Amino acid sequence: MGTFWFKVAGITVGGFVVVAVIGAVSPGSARESATDRGATPGNAVPVVRAQPAVGESGPVSARKAGVVPGIPTIPEFEFDVGGRPPSRSVYGLAKERVVQKILFVTNESHLTAGEVASRIGEAESLVTQKLGELLKYGLVEQQGHAWGSKVRLYTRAEIQEGETLSGKYAQQEAEILRQALPRLRDIYAKTQLSKTFPWEDVSLIVVGALLSDFCAVDRIPFRPQNVTEETMYYLRTPEGTAWGFEGYEQLPQRFPSCRWTFYQNQSETYKGAIARFGYYGNTSEQRKEPIINPAGWCIGPEGRILFALAEGPLSLEELESATEMPQGVLQNVLGRMAGYHPPAVGNESGKYRTKVPILTGSDLALLLPECDRVAEDIYAKVVRPHTREKLARAKELGRRWPLPSGTYVRDRALQALVEEGLLSAVTTPPVDWNFGVWGWTGFLPMHEEVTDGILPDPFLLTAVTDDEKKLLREAESLRAGILKGSRFKDVSTPAKAFLTRFSAFVHTDVGTLREVQVPAGHIDQNYFADPQRRGWSQEMSKLSVRRLPPTPAHPKDGDVGVVFASYERTFEDAHVYFYHNGGWRFLFNTSDVGFWSKNAKKAARERLASLR
């Protein structure tokens, strides 16, 4: 239920940063944080937090267009997206050949729409339309009647220069990691995870996924003292969020000396995260089924089960209590997970065990300080000097943008350690479904959470009080009555407003819905005639109230409140309400439960403004 984002690692995820290769994008996440980045910190420009499509070897670009007489040949590009794009529509937009042509001819100089049309052999009306779409996402700028690209485009020659320059920095990063391995291994030996997963089996995850990706790319560059314009994404969404977008000439091998390009899909909630660390590029992993979506697992029953088992084996009854899942649902999910090849869970002597490595919160607390320390060393000795040298060399060559590197330095350094036998092996294709699948419990700050010190809603970590238990019983009683035929309309508290909306959907009651969901101009008598909305009614009937935080005793217009709900006692949602005209009205719902308040006040202000 609701929308969610995930941090996808790889170019250097997030969620909430998404790094994805255009045309090879996987669905989003609990915090589509799912959590992807492109113009990232120096060499760490991680680029792909999106898993290439099954059977694909890497990024996907537009189909080749035929050569037009009198029109210069323009390379075909594939794009890396980093950070949080303003819209997923940029993925499809970048695949359009006409868009690639527009960005190419406006990359070095500003041109009018007519001049662009003439140079690329397209109708001026089409060019004008596409320029408008690109402007909406901040991918071009307008100066009077002239347009200029804001997207970094790299041709074969620049890519080759970038690879040559990046090689020496890859050697430096590899040496930093070599020196760090003994201490990391000693620390890992103290973790709960080490009791079931030896270092030799998970060292690529600890060093590659946690240290070299998350810490070196998604944490250390975002520390306030490290945030500089030269190492951050260079584009901005309308809300001011930084993101990256880079185009590379499509080549058989972007960086021939790099055997693997690593990516990481990741989705997280306040309870923990599920991630998938894999590779594409010169070698495709060709992952076997089931190709899991970390977002679905993280907020779904699989995540609940794996997080519960992270602390150790549990019986069915203990697991039922820990996950708060109905036993029938729990047994079905366990059966499915046990049936995978290899299995995701096992049962030994009546106790269920996880077959997926999940770091506990205590494990993470042990490893993170050392991983951050090493990542800080990489940032100071590799990322910063590499960034400066890429820019200096580009200026020598008369280029507008710093030379490209993608995730080359990180990937080439990991490759060296794998080939030396210092890290667990990278499985040759086709890889099992669980290659690089891992996770952790608790909260791991990344991106703006590091910069701004953002933490999940602390209420979710508190115990349920007697007063709250009473309110939850009342809510469940009202819910049960609604499902039996009673109608309900009361917007005096967020919980009652939630049940009012619940009643409206269960009974397809337009009048009640208009009371709680404003502005209501679009809610007419035919509102529930739409098949999709009738489907919403069925889905809403499966929601129940899970937690009820305190709300203001004397609310004023613009105040916000939240109801934490669960979907069939499996998925969690935060339903956010704002106070207006004497009652609580629906604002939005999100599966990013721990961070519901991040944009709530701004959303409430905007909604109030629309009602004036």
Side-chain angles (χ1 to χ4, degrees):
M1 303 293 291
T3 57
F4 48 95
W5 59 280
F6 64 24
K7 293 173 181 172
V8 204
I11 276 185
T12 168
V13 155
F16 280 94
V17 169
V18 175
V19 177
V21 177
I22 296 301
V25 183
S26 27
S29 86
R31 282 173 53 204
E32 249 182 1
S33 119
T35 62
D36 310 319
R37 178 159 49 236
T40 37
N43 73 300
V45 166
V47 174
V48 188
R49 288 202 168 197
Q51 159 74 5
V54 177
E56 306 230 353
S57 59
V60 177
S61 60
R63 290 175 296 174
K64 291 186 179 296
V67 176
V68 181
I71 303 299
T73 301
I74 294 174
E76 183 176 350
F77 293 92
E78 56 193 14
F79 288 79
D80 292 339
V81 180
R84 286 176 224 166
S87 167
R88 295 189 71 84
S89 297
V90 300
Y91 301 144
L93 190 64
K95 292 171 65 177
E96 296 181 24
R97 186 62 177 148
V98 64
V99 168
Q100 296 190 7
K101 293 178 181 179
I102 291 170
L103 293 174
F104 184 81
V105 300
T106 59
N107 206 252
E108 295 297 335
S109 59
H110 285 63
L111 302 171
T112 65
E115 291 171 330
V116 172
S118 176
R119 293 197 185 189
I120 68 174
E122 300 284 357
E124 184 174 343
S125 58
L126 176 61
V127 168
T128 300
Q129 174 193 335
K130 294 302 176 183
L131 284 169
E133 293 178 36
L134 291 166
L135 181 65
K136 180 170 66 173
Y137 300 127
L139 299 177
V140 295
E141 60 185 6
Q142 187 175 17
Q143 295 180 1
H145 295 290
W147 300 82
S149 171
K150 295 174 67 177
V151 177
R152 298 176 178 181
L153 295 180
Y154 297 115
T155 60
R156 178 191 299 266
E158 294 160 323
I159 293 170
Q160 290 173 343
E161 283 282 348
E163 182 175 17
T164 299
L165 174 61
S166 299
K168 69 175 183 179
Y169 287 101
Q171 294 177 15
Q172 293 176 18
E173 182 161 331
E175 183 57 28
I176 291 173
L177 293 175
R178 281 190 199 93
Q179 297 300 319
L181 286 177
R183 178 161 171 75
L184 282 170
R185 183 169 186 159
D186 288 345
I187 295 173
Y188 179 77
K190 301 174 183 177
T191 65
Q192 175 74 18
L193 188 62
S194 67
K195 297 177 182 178
T196 49
F197 291 87
W199 170 260
E200 290 74 18
D201 291 350
V202 297
S203 56
L204 181 62
I205 287 176
V206 174
V207 178
L210 178 58
L211 192 164
S212 296
D213 189 27
F214 286 154
C215 292
V217 173
D218 299 317
R219 286 175 52 79
I220 297 306
F222 290 86
R223 285 182 172 176
Q225 67 270 25
N226 291 335
V227 174
T228 63
E229 189 171 335
E230 69 175 0
T231 59
M232 289 293 104
Y233 295 129
Y234 61 98
L235 296 176
R236 292 290 183 276
T237 66
E239 295 75 30
T241 303
W243 69 293
F245 194 67
E246 296 182 334
Y248 293 79
E249 180 177 348
Q250 188 176 20
L251 302 170
Q253 296 181 348
R254 186 184 296 179
F255 298 119
S257 61
C258 200
R259 189 174 170 187
W260 305 292
T261 298
F262 292 105
Y263 72 87
Q264 187 160 211
N265 292 142
Q266 167 235 339
S267 176
E268 66 177 319
T269 71
Y270 70 98
K271 289 183 175 180
I274 300 294
R276 185 182 62 213
F277 191 67
Y279 62 88
Y280 70 99
N282 297 345
T283 303
S284 170
E285 65 180 22
Q286 300 172 35
R287 190 175 293 264
K288 298 177 186 177
E289 298 287 348
I291 300 177
I292 72 156
N293 173 5
W297 272 36
C298 186
I299 64 172
E302 295 90 348
R304 286 198 181 193
I305 289 169
L306 294 178
F307 296 154
L309 294 176
E311 296 288 349
L314 296 174
S315 67
L316 180 63
E317 292 72 23
E318 292 168 332
L319 197 51
E320 181 182 3
S321 175
T323 61
E324 300 179 351
M325 291 168 58
Q327 190 174 101
V329 173
L330 176 61
Q331 288 177 314
N332 286 337
V333 178
L334 286 170
R336 184 172 69 245
M337 296 174 73
Y340 294 155
H341 301 284
V345 295
N347 190 317
E348 301 170 16
S349 303
K351 296 276 189 175
Y352 286 92
R353 299 174 182 270
T354 175
K355 300 292 186 178
V356 175
I358 305 292
L359 292 166
T360 68
S362 299
D363 292 347
L364 203 59
L366 281 172
L367 286 165
L368 201 57
E370 182 64 10
C371 288
D372 278 345
R373 185 196 66 77
V374 177
E376 188 76 69
D377 205 26
I378 291 172
Y379 186 76
K381 296 177 181 177
V382 177
V383 174
R384 296 297 294 271
H386 185 214
T387 302
R388 290 191 289 265
E389 192 167 352
K390 287 193 299 182
L391 180 58
R393 180 58 180 150
K395 288 181 178 178
E396 291 175 6
L397 297 171
R399 299 293 194 266
R400 179 182 178 188
W401 310 115
L403 290 179
S405 61
T407 51
Y408 177 88
V409 173
R410 188 271 316 274
D411 296 337
R412 189 66 183 83
L414 291 176
Q415 176 180 324
L417 270 60
V418 169
E419 292 175 342
E420 294 167 21
L422 297 175
L423 295 180
S424 42
V426 174
T427 308
T428 56
V431 304
D432 287 331
W433 73 270
N434 63 343
F435 173 77
V437 175
W438 69 292
W440 65 89
T441 63
F443 176 58
L444 177 60
M446 299 187 209
H447 308 113
E448 67 268 31
E449 299 153 3
V450 174
T451 307
D452 302 328
I454 300 171
L455 296 173
D457 186 341
F459 173 79
L460 291 164
L461 304 178
T462 63
V464 180
T465 65
D466 289 341
D467 287 343
E468 186 185 354
K469 288 178 182 177
K470 180 181 178 181
L471 293 173
L472 289 171
R473 286 194 297 268
E474 291 175 356
E476 181 55 30
S477 175
L478 288 169
R479 174 183 176 276
I482 292 168
L483 291 175
K484 290 178 180 178
S486 298
R487 293 174 182 256
F488 184 79
K489 184 162 64 174
D490 183 343
V491 294
S492 60
T493 68
K496 291 179 178 178
F498 171 87
L499 291 166
T500 297
R501 187 165 179 264
F502 179 87
S503 177
F505 272 93
V506 168
H507 298 299
T508 62
D509 184 341
V510 170
T512 297
L513 186 61
R514 289 175 62 90
E515 176 74 14
V516 73
Q517 198 160 306
V518 295
H522 66 294
I523 303 175
D524 57 23
Q525 291 304 313
N526 296 318
Y527 184 82
F528 288 108
D530 184 323
Q532 182 182 32
R533 288 168 180 154
R534 289 200 299 273
W536 292 350
S537 295
Q538 295 173 1
E539 296 303 304
M540 282 287 288
S541 68
K542 299 174 184 177
L543 288 175
S544 58
V545 178
R546 179 176 171 271
R547 294 295 306 271
L548 288 173
T551 53
H554 304 288
K556 58 184 183 300
D557 279 7
D559 282 349
V560 293
V562 65
V563 174
F564 295 113
S566 65
Y567 178 82
E568 294 187 327
R569 291 174 59 194
T570 301
F571 298 94
E572 293 183 37
D573 247 358
H575 291 249
V576 183
Y577 290 78
F578 74 107
Y579 196 76
H580 169 66
N581 195 27
W584 292 91
R585 322 293 172 175
F586 177 73
L587 186 58
F588 64 82
N589 65 295
T590 174
S591 59
D592 190 14
V593 176
F595 295 85
W596 68 271
S597 64
K598 187 175 178 183
N599 299 310
K601 288 189 177 297
K602 179 182 177 183
R605 288 196 300 271
E606 292 173 349
R607 185 68 60 85
L608 283 175
S610 73
L611 292 168
R612 293 193 180 104

